[in-house]
Amino acid sequence: MKNHCIFVLHGSASAEAKKICDILEKQFSQKLEVPFYLSYLKESSPSFSDALDLAYSNGARSIICLPLFLLPGSHIIKDIPAIIDNFKKVHSDCNIKLLPCLAENEQFIDFIIKILGTNND
């Protein structure tokens, strides 16, 4: 089976944030060719832990996790890896790849340069 992808967002109780997440989910569903889940660490659902469980119950044995956080703060350094470790204790047959935060991703840097229109190529 193809990789599943889980996007990890902070989460917010804000109605505006929920609206934007709904739009983001719709756009991803139109463009991604793999099963994916939006998940949240706080204030929204599904939680990251629940999304891992859902992906696994839907047959995922290989999951790519993309944290949509700019910098490597406590959620990236501690919280997300702890949730993954707890999940893997129960589902040792599942391979999980945690991608770096956005600032540590070269494609993100290229994206910023592109949207600012400052690339002189």
Side-chain angles (χ1 to χ4, degrees):
M1 179 172 235
K2 291 182 179 180
N3 284 333
H4 285 227
C5 181
I6 298 177
F7 298 94
V8 186
L9 294 89
H10 187 273
S12 171
S14 155
E16 182 65 21
K18 174 65 174 148
K19 179 181 171 185
I20 297 298
C21 286
D22 289 344
I23 292 168
L24 185 64
E25 186 169 28
K26 182 178 180 183
Q27 291 173 337
F28 280 136
S29 69
Q30 293 170 348
K31 296 183 181 190
L32 283 177
E33 296 180 4
V34 297
F36 74 93
Y37 310 87
L38 294 184
S39 70
Y40 307 90
L41 294 177
K42 299 180 181 243
E43 305 288 332
S44 301
S45 63
S47 68
F48 177 48
S49 179
D50 289 346
L52 286 167
D53 289 337
L54 181 60
Y56 189 85
S57 70
N58 285 329
R61 297 301 179 267
S62 181
I63 302 171
I64 298 172
C65 299
L66 175 58
L68 297 179
F69 291 77
L70 183 59
L71 300 171
S74 63
H75 289 317
I76 298 293
I77 295 168
K78 295 179 184 177
D79 301 336
I80 294 171
I83 293 168
I84 291 171
D85 288 345
N86 286 335
F87 177 83
K88 290 192 74 157
K89 287 177 185 174
V90 177
H91 305 290
S92 60
D93 62 327
C94 190
N95 180 43
I96 299 177
K97 179 178 181 180
L98 177 60
L99 298 176
C101 66
L102 296 174
E104 296 176 321
N105 184 315
E106 187 175 317
Q107 287 95 357
F108 179 73
I109 304 305
D110 292 341
F111 165 75
I112 295 298
I113 291 168
K114 182 178 178 180
I115 64 171
L116 291 177
T118 59
N119 193 348
N120 292 325
D121 290 345

